[in-house]
Amino acid sequence: MSLVGGIIIILSYQYIPATQNQVRAMLVALTVADMLTALGYEISSLRWYTIGMKNSTTSDTFCKAQSFLTTFSSMSSFFWTTFIALYLFHCVWFSTDLHVSGSQRLWLHCLAWGLPGVITLVALAYGVLGNNGFALNGVWCWLNKTFADKYGLHWMLLTGKGWEILTYLITASLYISLKIRTFLKRGRHNSYLWNQVSNGLRREDELFCFTWLILYCLRVWGTIRFVIDIIEDGNHLRNSNVEKFKVALLFLQSYGDSAQAFWNFILFCVCDNTVRSFSLNNWISLSNQKQVSTDTADIRSNAEENPDTTLQKNNESQPLLHSSLKLTHSVAHSHQNVVTSV
């Protein structure tokens, strides 16, 4: 569903001119990263079902490739999520239109794609990508390190969890601040819309205030598992009830980590008035065109099957004046023939 939702987000930006602003372009980049993550998790699921649960804990070449893809795309998603929050905060808080030049846009892409790529390549070079025996990764591959390994925690923070927690803190603080400011402004003024504050924003861009909440609801399960594992490793304790709770968290994490593109589709396509109206209008237009084509085809088919009936209908549909003229002409012609005979 994330792949389908991501494609619709990209197409909505491509074909709906009203949505083509800077923040929506950044959303497209975020969607590409989330689609890569969803693709990586789909690959890991297929691998797990293909080779079995026991063999799926090995760090083969396929496992490392999947780990490289999802590690890179997840970090890139965190970067784009943070950049969008910073951009919107600057536009709304300072009531300005933040123009991003071509060179600045290039720098954004270099940071959001380049830095995660460098980190993932370093991890691959040091041989830490892979699987750690189902302890932390789940059915997918991430790192072959555990908390007991030297620098294991450092690698986990560097290749994902550190950036994830940092994204939680930055986006939540920025969006909550914007929401509070918007609420206070609307208490003083009857109308306080984001498109009135900044020319570079649309009214529906206020929906971005909920992205941090979606990120939390989808990603927090893996973070809770991560914290529990740190506590258990520090105390060297294993509780059966806690382990069952971690299994439940694992299922939620398996869904949440790969579902961000789908829920962004719900937020920025289904809940966006511009995108929804455009889609409904085009759907109605296509339905009407299809109905007209069907009716035309039926008329032609009936005309070919019953030509006499069609001719009779055409005659019946002629105006009454035209029929009267034809009758008058026929009577005159008959009178002329009688005179000629006499």
Side-chain angles (χ1 to χ4, degrees):
M1 296 300 292
S2 286
L3 295 177
V4 175
I7 291 173
I8 295 176
I9 292 176
I10 295 173
L11 291 178
S12 68
Y13 176 79
Q14 182 71 27
Y15 292 104
I16 305 178
T19 65
Q20 295 174 358
N21 57 4
Q22 180 59 45
V23 69
R24 196 80 178 192
M26 297 168 72
L27 174 64
V28 170
L30 170 63
T31 301
V32 172
D34 291 334
M35 289 173 65
L36 291 176
T37 302
L39 179 62
Y41 279 95
E42 288 292 334
I43 292 173
S44 66
S45 298
L46 291 175
R47 173 179 176 271
W48 189 80
Y49 282 112
T50 301
I51 66 178
M53 181 176 179
K54 293 182 179 180
N55 295 327
S56 65
T57 58
T58 59
S59 297
D60 53 17
T61 304
F62 193 83
C63 172
K64 293 179 181 179
Q66 177 263 301
S67 174
F68 185 94
L69 177 62
T70 51
T71 302
F72 163 74
S73 61
S74 296
M75 284 191 290
S76 182
S77 176
F78 299 144
F79 274 69
W80 281 116
T81 302
T82 304
F83 289 161
I84 291 173
L86 291 171
Y87 176 84
L88 289 173
F89 182 83
H90 187 280
C91 290
V92 177
W93 193 269
F94 298 104
S95 301
T96 183
D97 183 11
L98 181 59
H99 176 70
V100 181
S101 63
S103 59
Q104 292 173 334
R105 192 177 298 110
L106 180 62
W107 274 108
L108 282 177
H109 282 276
C110 288
L111 285 174
W113 300 110
L115 186 56
V118 170
I119 293 174
T120 311
L121 286 172
V122 171
L124 180 64
Y126 275 86
V128 299
L129 297 182
N131 206 321
N132 60 9
F134 202 73
L136 182 65
N137 296 348
V139 300
W140 58 92
C141 296
W142 179 32
L143 301 178
N144 56 22
K145 298 292 184 180
T146 63
F147 294 104
D149 296 324
K150 185 179 181 180
Y151 303 121
L153 178 60
H154 297 81
W155 278 113
M156 293 174 191
L157 294 174
L158 180 63
T159 58
K161 282 302 173 184
W163 302 109
E164 182 177 349
I165 296 172
L166 189 62
T167 301
Y168 290 162
L169 299 176
I170 294 175
T171 56
S173 59
L174 293 179
Y175 284 130
I176 291 175
S177 299
L178 288 181
K179 202 63 180 175
I180 294 175
R181 180 182 178 86
T182 302
F183 176 78
L184 294 177
K185 288 287 186 179
R186 285 176 179 168
R188 299 173 184 174
H189 310 283
N190 293 330
S191 177
Y192 182 81
L193 304 176
W194 282 19
N195 59 327
Q196 298 172 345
V197 174
S198 176
N199 294 327
L201 299 179
R202 301 183 304 122
R203 180 177 180 177
E204 292 87 350
D205 287 338
E206 192 173 341
L207 291 171
F208 279 93
C209 281
F210 298 101
T211 54
W212 71 273
L213 187 59
I214 291 178
L215 180 69
Y216 273 35
C217 292
L218 295 177
R219 289 267 186 180
V220 71
W221 317 113
T223 304
I224 295 175
R225 286 185 63 232
F226 180 74
V227 173
I228 292 175
D229 285 331
I230 293 178
I231 295 174
E232 286 185 338
D233 182 74
N235 297 328
H236 301 285
L237 297 175
R238 288 291 186 271
N239 185 282
S240 59
N241 293 326
V242 174
E243 294 302 316
K244 292 179 181 178
F245 179 63
K246 286 170 59 178
V247 172
L249 291 175
L250 176 62
F251 282 99
L252 293 172
Q253 181 185 358
S254 300
Y255 168 78
D257 284 4
S258 60
Q260 189 169 350
F262 171 74
W263 285 101
N264 282 344
F265 154 73
I266 297 295
L267 186 62
F268 299 113
C269 290
V270 177
C271 298
D272 191 299
N273 291 330
T274 303
V275 178
R276 188 173 63 251
S277 299
F278 181 88
S279 302
L280 289 176
N281 290 336
N282 278 272
W283 177 264
I284 293 173
S285 178
L286 290 174
S287 299
N288 292 337
Q289 291 178 5
K290 184 178 180 181
Q291 184 63 37
V292 170
S293 300
T294 303
D295 293 342
T296 304
D298 291 341
I299 292 173
R300 290 178 179 177
S301 177
N302 292 332
E304 292 175 357
E305 293 176 359
N306 304 302
D308 296 336
T309 305
T310 304
L311 179 60
Q312 181 180 357
K313 289 182 179 179
N314 291 334
N315 290 334
E316 293 174 354
S317 63
Q318 291 179 350
L320 180 60
L321 178 60
H322 181 69
S323 301
S324 300
L325 290 175
K326 288 181 65 178
L327 179 60
T328 303
H329 178 73
S330 177
V331 171
H333 183 70
S334 301
H335 179 71
Q336 183 180 0
N337 290 338
V338 170
V339 172
T340 302
S341 300
V342 174

